[in-house]
Amino acid sequence: MVKFSKQFEGQLIPEWKEAFVDYWQLKKDLKKVHLFNNTNKTPNNSSTSLPKYIFSSIRNYSLFAHQRIEHGPIQVHRKLASSSFNGDMYETELLDQFADTDATKEFFACLDQQLNKVNKFYRTKEKEFMDRGDSLKKQMDILLMLKSTFKEQQSTAGSSHGSKEDQSISCTFSNEEDSVRRIATQEEMQNTTSTDDVEKNESPFPDSPRADELAKSIQMKREEGKLRTLSGRVISCQGKSLRINIPLTTPSRTFSAISYLLREDLLNQSSRKCGPEGANIHLNRSNLHHAEKMIKGGFIELYKGLGYLKVYRTLNMLAFIKILKKFDKVTAKHVLPIYLKMVESSYFNSSDKVMKLADEVEELFIKNFAEDNRRKAMKYLRPSQRKESHAVTFFIGLFTGCFLALLAGYAIMAHVTGLYRPHQNSVYMETTYPVLSMFSLVFLHFFLYGCNILAWRKNRINYGFIFELAPTKELKYRDIFLICTMAMSAVVGVMFLHLTLLTKGYSYAQVQDIPGLLILGFLLILVCPFNIIYRSSRYRFLCVIRNIILSPLYKVVMLDFFMADQLCSQVPMLRSLEYMACYYITGSYKTQDYGYCMRTKHYRDLAYAVSFLPYYWRAMQCARRWFDEGQTSHLVNLGKYVSAMLAAGAKVAYEKDGSVGWLCLLVIMSSAATVYQLYWDFVKDWGLLQMNSKNPWLRNELMLQRKAIYYLSMGLNLILRLAWLQTVLHSSFENVDYRVTCLFLASLEVIRRGLWNFFRLENEHLNNAGKFRAVKIVPLPFHEVDEED
């Protein structure tokens, strides 16, 4: 039977772990109570305590015995809080012989502290979710109102013009400049009433200089925000002034925002000339669809948060019951009914607001987003996890055996024929070996990602929430291992077949189609539109690659820049892919002119581009994040990738030129980039090297128990970051072609990236846990603008 502590740890919400009952600390305090009772169970102590026992018995049978029996060994007092936000506080008073034991006092003090902590956190999260629920209800009302207006105008236009081409709502564009000062005054007055440290000389009147400055600052912020979202679209519809905020997550919305700013200037000028009524704009079906999608996502995340809060209530209640049962068993006292009565009446267990709100969310979602189909709605609100099949484990073992057998056969045949010896068979190493190295790097990286998922799950790191993965579609680590073993079995099998045909006397012209067909086969599987071989994951991967390539135009999320970082470690794979594309597209495989791509100027120029393209994409993502969030740290991070681009360019130039000048430039640029990258790895990405940490040179919160793993990982990351020295030292394995050495060094970089991935997500998880962020905050599309008449 599984212990409750293991069950408790396995079911709690990882980001809220600090807010749960500290069951392990209570067990430690209870162990102290148990040790104290054992040390006092001696004959001398029992004889000396006999008078106390007789006196206690006589007192229990006195005239006031009913009062003592009512209270029992403890009495829990409820202290009314000064504010409703903090809630009531609970404090336990020990009676009888409990008052003389420090261990028992410690236990109940910790128990009271845990109860008060749970109540306060529950009250805070409940208020947060209730406010979000009210906002979403208002958003739903506005959306339904706009939809009805859209249908009315569409039907009117259809009846008057005889067509249904009018797909927009005609609304009035409000000129904000006249009301900025009034809004600034209202916001200032709200801030004055909500904060205690307000200066006495602030004036609430609109004509004061401070109100003018505040109005200007708000106007500047709004002008800046118009590019970051499609805000600034203030529409007046059915007597309400609304601001529509559609995030600039796609290139079309980004270009729409830029074109909108140009139109807005013309509208402002025309509104000043025409009068205060303003000009007309159109809210089309696309905007309504995006708004509906945002509101739908908001309801899903709200329902998920309410479910987490229910789990929080249930697990904490079970923890209190279990620890009180253990206390009664250790001390032979009946504390459980007394204390549990107060726990059951406390706020976190007695409040039913969460239950009611969850029912309301279900009803609204079923009615507005599922066409009154409850089963369809529950697929979104309560997505079921995919069941893991034992067949997957069987096929992992099967393909692993196939891969190892084929790899052994290929290695033996390559050793006998001497393919990998220097200058032995340059045709094979130039035309076929890049295919093997390319697939080896890709699926080694993918295999390490599966190992990362396994380690994240074991350490309760919520990678699915961080990457915003759908629970029904995300790849499990077994799926990843199956894909890797199956794909590498196919790759090594094809390479073994190709080498076998060469040894039997076939010419390169006859068998050189085989590696090209292998590449083509994998590309066709990647873009296959049929629902086979993890279609949802393939589609998501292609979308992420699209977002990376067009990174300045797409809003950057965690998964996008995480994948872009992976590409920064796959530059050798990209260069092999570039060469193979040139080799087969230009038809060089037919003439066996494998040096054609090397001699072509366009290819040489493209080699520079491929070497720093991943760093360029990552730099553009940093620029976009700075544009969206306004944090200077993103610009500093951008500088890291610019230095990596310069180092990569210097490396390619030195490999082609080999002069002393390029060597000196390579050493300078690579050294500067390495120091920059190491600092960012340890301090920013991993959150380590904190001077005042309780764990020397690490951070306060660690997911792994052994600190040596962190020090070892930092040392290993330092060594693997210096792999570029091989380019300077020209070191290689004896009796092995230099391309094999390059593959080995590229594999070390992939391994370093796999190590980096674990600690990067560990730090991100701890940041979420520090802010108790377990659900995604979805931006809302509509905001009412309050203006005084």
Side-chain angles (χ1 to χ4, degrees):
M1 187 174 179
V2 182
K3 290 184 177 181
F4 175 74
S5 58
K6 296 289 184 182
Q7 183 182 0
F8 183 69
E9 185 178 11
Q11 293 182 5
L12 57 80
I13 293 94
E15 290 80 7
W16 293 356
K17 185 177 181 180
E18 295 299 322
F20 276 83
V21 172
D22 195 348
Y23 187 76
W24 300 270
Q25 182 61 42
L26 289 173
K27 284 183 66 176
K28 290 179 182 178
D29 293 341
L30 186 58
K31 191 174 182 180
K32 293 179 183 177
V33 175
H34 183 59
L35 292 174
F36 179 82
N37 290 341
N38 289 338
T39 54
N40 287 340
K41 285 183 180 179
T42 59
N44 294 332
N45 289 339
S46 61
S47 62
T48 55
S49 62
L50 183 61
K52 291 184 178 180
Y53 175 77
I54 296 173
F55 176 74
S56 176
S57 301
I58 295 173
R59 184 176 59 181
N60 288 336
Y61 286 103
S62 64
L63 295 175
F64 302 98
H66 66 280
Q67 185 177 359
R68 289 296 175 183
I69 293 173
E70 180 183 355
H71 293 311
I74 64 170
Q75 185 175 359
V76 185
H77 300 283
R78 176 186 294 177
K79 295 182 178 180
L80 298 178
S82 57
S83 63
S84 60
F85 177 76
N86 293 326
D88 298 338
M89 305 293 289
Y90 295 90
E91 185 177 349
T92 303
E93 178 187 358
L94 304 182
L95 306 176
D96 296 336
Q97 68 270 28
F98 276 168
D100 299 330
T101 59
D102 292 336
T104 309
K105 287 181 180 178
E106 255 183 65
F107 174 79
F108 278 101
C110 183
L111 194 64
D112 294 337
Q113 180 185 0
Q114 298 303 315
L115 179 58
N116 295 328
K117 177 184 73 174
V118 168
N119 278 321
K120 184 177 180 181
F121 180 81
Y122 187 88
R123 189 185 295 269
T124 303
K125 282 297 175 183
E126 183 187 68
K127 184 179 183 303
E128 176 186 336
F129 290 138
M130 293 299 293
D131 292 342
R132 197 179 303 178
D134 293 338
S135 299
L136 283 169
K137 291 175 190 176
K138 293 179 181 178
Q139 296 285 313
M140 198 71 238
D141 293 338
I142 296 172
L143 180 63
L144 293 176
M145 178 191 67
L146 290 175
K147 276 187 171 182
S148 63
T149 307
F150 183 87
K151 290 180 180 179
E152 289 176 3
Q153 293 195 7
Q154 187 177 2
S155 61
T156 304
S159 60
S160 60
H161 298 287
S163 64
K164 296 185 178 180
E165 295 179 356
D166 187 10
Q167 300 291 325
S168 61
I169 305 175
S170 179
C171 301
T172 303
F173 180 82
S174 302
N175 189 3
E176 287 186 61
E177 295 182 358
D178 299 332
S179 61
V180 168
R181 184 173 296 180
R182 288 196 299 270
I183 297 173
T185 306
Q186 291 175 6
E187 293 182 359
E188 183 182 6
M189 292 177 67
Q190 290 176 0
N191 293 333
T192 305
T193 55
S194 61
T195 55
D196 297 326
D197 51 346
V198 181
E199 297 180 1
K200 294 182 179 179
N201 57 355
E202 290 182 354
S203 174
F205 297 102
D207 293 332
S208 64
R210 184 171 180 80
D212 292 335
E213 295 177 2
L214 188 59
K216 292 179 181 179
S217 64
I218 292 175
Q219 179 68 17
M220 290 176 63
K221 289 180 180 179
R222 286 176 179 170
E223 291 295 334
E224 182 182 357
K226 286 174 185 178
L227 270 177
R228 297 181 180 175
T229 62
L230 285 182
S231 60
R233 296 199 174 198
V234 181
I235 64 172
S236 177
C237 198
Q238 293 188 3
K240 290 185 178 181
S241 294
L242 304 175
R243 181 183 299 277
I244 305 175
N245 295 326
I246 305 295
L248 306 180
T249 55
T250 61
S252 61
R253 297 183 197 173
T254 305
F255 291 131
S256 176
I258 296 173
S259 61
Y260 167 72
L261 287 179
L262 298 177
R263 291 198 308 268
E264 184 190 21
D265 292 337
L266 298 176
L267 290 172
N268 286 335
Q269 294 176 3
S270 63
S271 63
R272 292 192 189 101
K273 294 178 181 179
C274 298
E277 294 181 359
N280 290 330
I281 65 171
H282 295 278
L283 180 65
N284 56 22
R285 185 187 294 272
S286 177
N287 286 340
L288 283 179
H289 175 71
H290 290 309
E292 182 178 3
K293 190 175 180 180
M294 293 168 66
I295 296 172
K296 180 180 178 181
F299 274 113
I300 293 174
E301 292 299 321
L302 174 61
Y303 192 83
K304 185 191 297 184
L306 295 174
Y308 286 161
L309 212 50
K310 292 177 184 178
V311 173
Y312 179 80
R313 169 194 287 183
T314 305
L315 288 181
N316 283 318
M317 194 67 194
L318 285 174
F320 281 118
I321 294 173
K322 290 289 183 180
I323 201 65
L324 288 172
K325 280 185 179 179
K326 288 180 180 291
F327 183 85
D328 285 357
K329 185 177 180 180
V330 168
T331 61
K333 300 290 182 181
H334 298 288
V335 172
L336 174 63
I338 303 171
Y339 202 93
L340 190 60
K341 184 179 179 181
M342 299 305 298
V343 174
E344 289 176 346
S345 63
S346 62
Y347 188 83
F348 87 95
N349 188 64
S350 60
S351 176
D352 61 346
K353 294 180 181 179
V354 172
M355 304 292 184
K356 292 180 179 178
L357 182 59
D359 294 338
E360 291 180 18
V361 171
E362 282 187 15
E363 292 177 2
L364 286 172
F365 197 91
I366 293 171
K367 180 181 178 181
N368 298 291
F369 301 108
E371 299 174 352
D372 292 328
N373 189 339
R374 180 177 178 81
R375 179 177 296 181
K376 180 180 178 181
M378 290 301 108
K379 289 182 180 179
Y380 293 98
L381 297 178
R382 299 177 190 171
S384 58
Q385 297 284 344
R386 285 194 300 113
K387 294 182 180 179
E388 297 183 357
S389 174
H390 294 292
V392 175
T393 306
F394 169 76
F395 282 111
I396 290 174
L398 176 64
F399 286 115
T400 301
C402 295
F403 166 69
L404 293 177
L406 291 169
L407 182 63
Y410 177 80
I412 292 172
M413 189 173 293
H415 177 72
V416 171
T417 56
L419 287 178
Y420 292 156
R421 294 174 186 172
H423 310 293
Q424 184 70 23
N425 195 336
S426 59
V427 177
Y428 184 87
M429 297 302 294
E430 288 286 351
T431 59
T432 308
Y433 181 75
V435 177
L436 177 62
S437 64
M438 178 178 64
F439 283 114
S440 299
L441 291 175
V442 169
F443 290 108
L444 173 63
H445 208 144
F446 204 41
F447 173 78
L448 291 175
Y449 176 67
C451 296
N452 287 144
I453 291 180
L454 183 60
W456 291 331
R457 289 188 60 180
K458 186 178 180 181
N459 291 279
R460 300 280 293 158
I461 295 175
N462 196 354
Y463 68 93
F465 169 68
I466 295 173
F467 289 145
E468 300 180 13
L469 301 176
T472 57
K473 298 178 181 179
E474 65 171 310
L475 289 176
K476 309 295 184 183
Y477 68 92
R478 285 190 179 92
D479 299 323
I480 294 175
F481 292 157
L482 176 61
I483 293 172
C484 291
T485 54
M486 185 169 54
M488 285 307 298
S489 297
V491 170
V492 178
V494 170
M495 292 292 103
F496 182 74
L497 174 64
H498 179 266
L499 187 56
T500 303
L501 294 176
L502 287 177
T503 55
K504 288 185 176 182
Y506 287 88
S507 64
Y508 278 98
Q510 292 175 312
V511 300
Q512 207 60 20
D513 296 340
I514 295 177
L517 292 175
L518 178 66
I519 299 175
L520 182 61
F522 274 97
L523 290 177
L524 290 177
I525 292 175
L526 183 61
V527 299
C528 178
F530 302 109
N531 192 12
I532 56 173
I533 314 178
Y534 305 103
R535 183 183 66 172
S536 59
S537 299
R538 290 188 285 107
Y539 176 76
R540 184 70 183 271
F541 173 76
L542 293 175
C543 290
V544 171
I545 295 298
R546 177 205 61 191
N547 296 350
I548 292 173
I549 295 175
L550 303 175
S551 52
L553 303 177
Y554 279 94
K555 180 178 174 64
V556 183
V557 296
M558 178 69 186
L559 185 60
D560 293 341
F561 67 78
F562 181 82
M563 182 61 71
D565 279 325
Q566 312 307 306
L567 291 179
C568 291
S569 297
Q570 287 286 1
V571 173
M573 182 274 296
L574 294 177
R575 295 187 63 180
S576 298
L577 180 62
E578 172 208 13
Y579 174 78
M580 297 310 299
C582 176
Y583 180 70
Y584 282 101
I585 291 175
T586 58
S588 300
Y589 70 99
K590 296 179 180 179
T591 61
Q592 291 304 304
D593 186 10
Y594 61 85
Y596 172 78
C597 293
M598 296 293 185
R599 298 191 302 270
T600 306
K601 182 179 183 302
H602 298 295
Y603 175 83
R604 293 199 302 268
D605 295 338
L606 190 60
Y608 284 98
V610 170
S611 298
F612 62 76
L613 258 182
Y615 304 108
Y616 168 78
W617 291 330
R618 192 65 186 88
M620 290 299 99
Q621 287 181 336
C622 293
R624 176 59 191 261
R625 293 189 70 189
W626 169 79
F627 180 77
D628 289 337
E629 303 172 15
Q631 297 180 5
T632 313
S633 59
H634 296 309
L635 291 180
V636 182
N637 196 16
L638 185 147
K640 180 186 74 171
Y641 293 103
V642 171
S643 66
M645 288 168 57
L646 297 176
K651 180 181 178 181
V652 174
Y654 174 69
E655 288 176 351
K656 293 187 175 182
D657 193 333
S659 62
V660 179
W662 282 113
L663 175 62
C664 295
L665 185 62
L666 171 63
V667 172
I668 294 173
M669 297 306 302
S670 298
S671 300
T674 301
V675 173
Y676 207 155
Q677 291 164 354
L678 286 173
Y679 167 79
W680 204 267
D681 285 347
F682 296 150
V683 178
K684 298 297 183 179
D685 291 336
W686 293 5
L688 303 178
L689 297 181
Q690 296 183 8
M691 301 291 293
N692 300 323
S693 172
K694 62 182 180 182
N695 303 307
W697 298 102
L698 300 178
R699 56 174 120 82
N700 291 330
E701 299 294 332
L702 300 175
M703 300 293 294
L704 303 178
Q705 295 181 354
R706 297 183 180 179
K707 301 178 185 177
I709 297 178
Y710 293 91
Y711 297 115
L712 181 63
S713 300
M714 286 194 291
L716 190 59
N717 187 71
L718 171 63
I719 295 172
L720 296 179
R721 278 288 189 187
L722 297 175
W724 58 269
L725 289 174
Q726 182 270 342
T727 307
V728 179
L729 301 176
H730 300 285
S731 59
S732 61
F733 300 114
E734 295 182 359
N735 300 324
V736 175
D737 193 273
Y738 75 93
R739 299 175 187 84
V740 180
T741 305
C742 293
L743 175 60
F744 175 75
L745 294 175
S747 301
L748 290 181
E749 170 60 22
V750 171
I751 293 172
R752 186 202 68 80
R753 180 61 66 180
L755 182 69
W756 178 91
N757 290 342
F758 175 81
F759 294 105
R760 177 67 182 89
L761 248 70
E762 179 196 18
N763 189 37
E764 186 70 22
H765 172 78
L766 291 174
N767 291 335
N768 290 336
K771 300 175 183 177
F772 300 106
R773 187 169 51 202
V775 292
K776 184 173 64 173
I777 299 177
V778 179
L780 301 179
F782 305 117
H783 298 274
E784 292 190 16
V785 179
D786 297 327
E787 292 191 36
E788 296 178 1
D789 296 333

